[in-house]
Amino acid sequence: MSPVLLSLRRPPREAVAAACVGALLLVLDAGVVSRTGVGLAVVASGALALGTAGAVLPVYRAGRQWTACAMSLTAAGVSLLTTSLVQGTVLQRTPGWAELVALLGVLCLSCRYGRPLPLTLSALALFTAVIRLVGRAPSLSYLPVLDRLDGLFPLLPAAFALLGGYLRTEDGRRRAAAERVRHSERLDLARDLHDHVAHYVTAIVVQAQAGEHTAVRDPDTARQLFANIERTGQEGLAAMSRMVRLLREPGAEQQAPVAPAMTTVENLVRRFSTPGQHAWLNVEDGLDSTGWSPQLARSVERVVQEGLTNIRKHARSATTVHVLLAADGDRLVVRVRDDAARQQRGRMRFRPSGFGLVGLTERVAELGGELTSGPMPEGGWELAASLPMK
């Protein structure tokens, strides 16, 4: 049999330890009570309470709130009946240690996992059953050291109820933290999907539209455009394959080779240039990308990619595009500029998704940077980001 199946069939150590403690308490109860019907009732009530404590947790985790509530009410009701029987017929009393511990455990689990209405019903019944158990124990008032414990007994169920409430709060915090992580992962995935899909698909659409108009007038240019479409499509497929591999294979991101940020930016600018629309990359002297963090490098790449994608979408008339990278103190400034006139922008047949700049703003803000976008006084449009380099 495989180790996986063995691990699934083997009960957890905590469950085994709890079962051993419960069995020991039942043995102690059986050794104290008489072998009459009342004594057997005490042992049976303890066994029922222990069984309820062991079964109610998976029932709660399965979401069956009212079933768990019914189980708790049954255990509490049997305990109350047993207490009444012991008080009315037995002089040598026993609290039923197994029953006491099990009811306290069920009370704690109910306060941890129960919903408001079934929790209220279960907690009231269990609290009452535990308080009534003190009537089955011998009085401690004549003992010099333990004479004050009788009055403190109600604090015992209250302490277990508070423990359940504390664990409930911790569970809520863990769920909230996990949800924040999942939300962050979804945002990262959404941003990456938009960055890759929008960039490559926009390039394909723009060049296909240009090819329609130049196929008859300039066959050579049309052939070049369609060759670019094929190349861009292949690159887009490769990018999507990398993303799918990262999602399907944990750790693939660390194993995949990462190109230097400056090399990636240079490739983006080089691939952007088309006949009639030239892109230039200007890098400040001395600016070195080898010391950039992975987060900074990826953000720079995404700023340049989004800026070029928006120019393809909304600035078809632009003839020159400048991408500038420079240092401003301890911050890195990235600018993507075009020379399209304002009245000539937005004429392309694209449906705006509305997510590009939103995702880019979130990405830049996570690093403590700032993102701006708008027309320049001398004409054209600029997308600019200021990012801390440390």
Side-chain angles (χ1 to χ4, degrees):
M1 185 177 297
S2 69
V4 176
L5 293 178
L6 286 174
S7 64
L8 290 176
R9 292 187 177 184
R10 186 185 302 122
R13 294 181 179 177
E14 295 81 1
V16 175
C20 292
V21 172
L24 177 61
L25 292 175
L26 277 179
V27 170
L28 291 177
D29 286 340
V32 173
V33 300
S34 61
R35 297 182 179 180
T36 62
V38 176
L40 294 178
V42 171
V43 176
S45 179
L48 175 64
L50 286 173
T52 302
V56 75
L57 178 58
V59 173
Y60 270 124
R61 288 180 172 174
R64 299 163 60 186
Q65 291 281 325
W66 288 107
T67 302
C69 178
M71 295 169 61
S72 302
L73 292 176
T74 300
V78 171
S79 175
L80 289 171
L81 290 175
T82 304
T83 298
S84 299
L85 182 62
V86 170
Q87 287 179 328
T89 59
V90 181
L91 296 177
Q92 183 183 358
R93 296 176 180 177
T94 173
W97 298 113
E99 187 177 337
L100 174 62
V101 171
L103 291 178
L104 290 173
V106 175
L107 176 61
C108 180
L109 292 174
S110 299
C111 292
R112 181 176 184 179
Y113 296 109
R115 293 176 183 169
L117 183 55
L119 166 61
T120 302
L121 296 176
S122 301
L124 287 176
L126 292 167
F127 199 95
T128 304
V130 172
I131 293 298
R132 289 292 306 277
L133 279 174
V134 72
R136 287 160 54 175
S139 176
L140 302 175
S141 58
Y142 61 89
L143 297 176
V145 179
L146 306 177
D147 55 347
R148 298 181 182 178
L149 292 183
D150 283 342
L152 298 179
F153 191 81
L155 297 179
L156 188 61
F160 275 79
L162 290 175
L163 175 61
Y166 169 76
L167 295 176
R168 186 189 192 98
T169 303
E170 290 300 308
D171 290 341
R173 291 177 180 173
R174 283 192 291 269
R175 285 193 298 270
E179 180 58 32
R180 286 194 297 269
V181 172
R182 285 193 294 269
H183 181 66
S184 177
E185 290 175 347
R186 287 195 298 268
L187 286 179
D188 285 341
L189 179 58
R191 288 194 286 259
D192 287 341
L193 281 173
H194 178 274
D195 291 342
H196 285 88
V197 173
H199 178 74
Y200 291 108
V201 173
T202 299
I204 290 173
V205 172
V206 167
Q207 294 178 94
Q209 290 174 347
E212 286 184 54
H213 297 91
T214 60
V216 177
R217 299 195 312 269
D218 191 350
D220 292 335
T221 302
R223 280 193 294 271
Q224 181 181 351
L225 288 172
F226 287 121
N228 290 341
I229 289 174
E230 180 184 5
R231 175 177 53 79
T232 304
Q234 294 290 349
E235 292 172 351
L237 289 174
M240 292 302 296
S241 297
R242 286 194 299 271
M243 292 191 64
V244 172
R245 185 168 60 253
L246 292 178
L247 293 174
R248 293 178 63 90
E249 302 175 8
E253 186 174 5
Q254 285 76 17
Q255 299 173 3
V258 179
M262 202 66 73
T263 301
T264 303
V265 171
E266 290 173 354
N267 291 334
L268 287 171
V269 175
R270 176 178 50 81
R271 290 196 299 263
F272 179 84
S273 294
T274 58
Q277 194 172 59
H278 300 284
W280 307 91
L281 174 63
N282 295 331
V283 181
E284 183 182 55
D285 293 338
L287 187 63
D288 185 10
S289 64
T290 56
W292 296 352
S293 66
Q295 294 80 7
L296 175 60
R298 194 163 79 163
S299 294
V300 172
E301 295 167 9
R302 294 298 181 262
V303 170
V304 174
Q305 190 177 59
E306 181 66 20
L308 297 177
T309 299
N310 286 337
I311 292 172
R312 284 196 190 279
K313 286 183 178 181
H314 309 297
R316 176 72 181 277
S317 63
T319 59
T320 303
V321 175
H322 280 102
V323 177
L324 302 98
L325 277 69
D328 183 11
D330 60 348
R331 301 180 75 85
L332 175 66
V333 179
V334 184
R335 304 182 187 273
V336 182
R337 297 174 171 175
D338 65 73
D339 60 353
R342 185 180 305 182
Q343 62 272 17
Q344 294 176 326
R345 303 185 68 85
R347 293 186 180 181
M348 297 301 295
R349 298 191 296 271
F350 284 98
R351 288 184 180 179
S353 66
F355 297 120
L357 288 179
V358 172
L360 190 60
T361 301
E362 293 172 347
R363 189 188 296 277
V364 170
E366 287 178 357
L367 295 180
E370 299 175 354
L371 184 74
T372 58
S373 177
M376 296 184 293
E378 63 274 18
W381 197 271
E382 180 184 75
L383 175 68
S386 174
L387 300 164
M389 287 190 286
K390 296 183 180 179

